Amino acid sequence: MSTNAYVNDGIPFDPAVLEGIRVNKSATERRIASLGGRRAVKKDAQLAFMLKAISCIDLTTLSGDDTPGKVQRMCRKARNPVRHDIMEALGVGDLSLTTGAVCVYHPMVKVAVSTLQGSAIPVAAVSTGFPAGLAPMETRLEEVRRSVADGATEIDIVITREHALLGNWQALYDEVRAFKDVCGEAHMKTILATGQLASLTQIAKASMVSMMAGSDFIKTSTGMEGVNATLPVSLTMIRQIRDYLDMTGIKVGYKPAGGIKTAKDAVLYLVLMKEELGREWLEPELFRFGASSLLGDLERQLEYHAFGGYSAAYRHALG
Ligand SMILES: O=C[C@H](O)COP(=O)(O)O
């Protein structure tokens, strides 16, 4: 069962809501360009942002050569994401820092759950025919059922891109709703694969439909598309989260995923969340990074803050 208090039961499909959605690409890009320069993050705040970023990572391995051993190592890293001597030197040795979750393919759910036993770290399973989402619907639904039965409390689903590309919003709604029904109490994150959609307006509409259908989180990418998470796409999606909140009073989470590799990038995403949605979206209940290598750079930067020097990237596991 999910321990996340933020649940979106969804609302009935309303095509009229979509008619008013238009995204101005240049205005979106201008807003993002203002992000880095306008407010340089000071050193102490940077440290806080980096620790926050770690607590919001869905530490991920999604590779054809995943093995139980690799997943176990990743789970151990999720429990202790930063070397003890670095945490001590930063004066935060007593902080019980973990990543937000670990994220794996279905066959690795059991091993992740057993390795994380005794911690509060949830296991997320990518499901529904990840990454293309082109398996038969019954197979995709069954995959969700099995991941939930094996102990995943978070399910990352992929949408059928065709529905969004053709503007078949009722079909997208019905698909996401069907996945939500089989997720039961597991928290559902809906991956739009934004790099394969046609425009920011289409991404905004797909975000809104996914939330109407009961997504607890909306997520950019699988990490396997040619273009994965970007800041303009993120601004587009989180403004839909804001509109859905205004419309329903329901808070939906956001997960940028794929290609986020540096502490600097992570801080920009956190600043964007804080400025657009407020502090509540800086918690793992409402914000996650889907990332396989970001933790390595964050640990490296924290080491720099602690000791004034970098060690080689290879010294940071999963770096
Ligand atoms: O959802 C997670 C992504 O697949 C991770 O992508 P990445 O390997 O580029 O960090």
Side-chain angles (χ1 to χ4, degrees):
M1 187 201 283
S2 170
T3 51
N4 198 322
Y6 294 92
V7 173
N8 175 24
D9 289 326
I11 59 171
F13 179 61
D14 181 0
V17 172
L18 304 180
E19 278 159 28
I21 297 178
R22 296 260 179 293
V23 182
N24 180 326
K25 189 164 176 263
S26 334
T28 303
E29 284 166 353
R30 275 199 304 279
R31 166 73 179 101
I32 293 304
S34 75
L35 202 61
R38 195 157 54 84
R39 199 176 293 190
V41 179
K42 300 219 172 63
K43 200 177 168 207
D44 280 358
Q46 262 178 34
L47 180 60
F49 270 125
M50 286 195 282
L51 293 169
K52 177 62 74 184
I54 290 172
S55 72
C56 291
I57 292 178
D58 279 5
L59 191 59
T60 301
T61 182
L62 297 172
S63 175
D65 60 2
D66 285 345
T67 59
K70 185 175 170 193
V71 170
Q72 282 165 341
R73 280 195 298 283
M74 185 178 79
C75 291
R76 285 195 283 271
K77 191 66 186 165
R79 279 175 182 267
N80 294 296
V82 179
R83 268 186 7 234
H84 193 63
D85 61 316
I86 299 176
M87 294 293 279
E88 286 292 329
L90 291 171
V92 289
D94 55 353
L95 198 70
S96 317
L97 184 67
T98 70
T99 66
V102 302
C103 183
V104 292
Y105 271 115
H106 167 74
M108 296 295 153
V109 169
K110 273 187 183 166
V111 68
V113 168
S114 75
T115 313
L116 290 172
Q117 207 140 41
S119 78
I121 304 170
V123 173
V126 293
S127 203
T128 68
F130 183 96
L134 291 174
M137 190 59 178
E138 192 40 54
T139 309
R140 300 171 76 199
L141 291 166
E142 183 57 19
E143 194 180 14
V144 176
R145 286 187 202 104
R146 289 184 186 203
S147 292
V148 171
D150 283 357
T153 54
E154 302 186 359
I155 300 290
D156 290 26
I157 66 157
V158 285
I159 66 162
T160 299
R161 278 63 127 184
E162 181 191 328
H163 296 329
L165 289 167
L166 300 183
N168 199 346
W169 302 118
Q170 177 76 58
L172 180 62
Y173 179 91
D174 292 344
E175 175 182 72
V176 175
R177 188 83 245 169
F179 293 142
K180 175 75 174 191
D181 290 343
V182 288
C183 278
E185 300 210 5
H187 225 58
M188 186 173 85
K189 309 192 199 97
T190 298
I191 305 172
L192 304 182
T194 54
Q196 294 179 333
L197 301 188
S199 64
L200 292 178
T201 296
Q202 194 172 76
I203 290 167
K205 289 183 180 181
S207 301
M208 182 54 76
V209 172
S210 300
M211 290 187 284
M212 288 197 275
S215 304
D216 299 303
F217 263 69
I218 50 174
K219 170 174 169 182
T220 58
S221 318
T222 66
M224 319 286 172
E225 288 83 56
V227 177
N228 292 291
T230 69
L231 287 164
V233 159
S234 295
L235 179 62
T236 303
M237 291 172 73
I238 63 186
R239 286 196 170 160
Q240 291 305 307
I241 290 176
R242 195 164 69 190
D243 288 352
Y244 186 73
L245 172 65
D246 289 345
M247 206 165 78
T248 64
I250 299 168
K251 293 169 181 167
V252 170
Y254 181 61
K255 179 174 171 182
I260 303 169
K261 297 190 184 307
T262 66
K264 202 171 153 211
D265 286 346
V267 170
L268 280 181
Y269 276 96
L270 292 176
V271 170
L272 181 68
M273 296 309 294
K274 185 162 169 257
E275 290 185 0
E276 290 288 324
L277 288 173
R279 293 194 71 86
E280 209 174 345
W281 269 266
L282 294 185
E283 299 300 328
E285 285 75 18
L286 285 174
F287 182 74
R288 301 286 178 79
F289 289 110
S292 60
S293 60
L294 172 62
L295 178 56
D297 192 56
L298 285 164
E299 190 181 20
R300 204 157 164 262
Q301 301 307 327
L302 289 174
E303 184 177 37
Y304 185 81
H305 272 258
F307 304 123
Y310 291 113
S311 64
Y314 68 80
R315 287 196 55 208
H316 298 275
L318 301 168

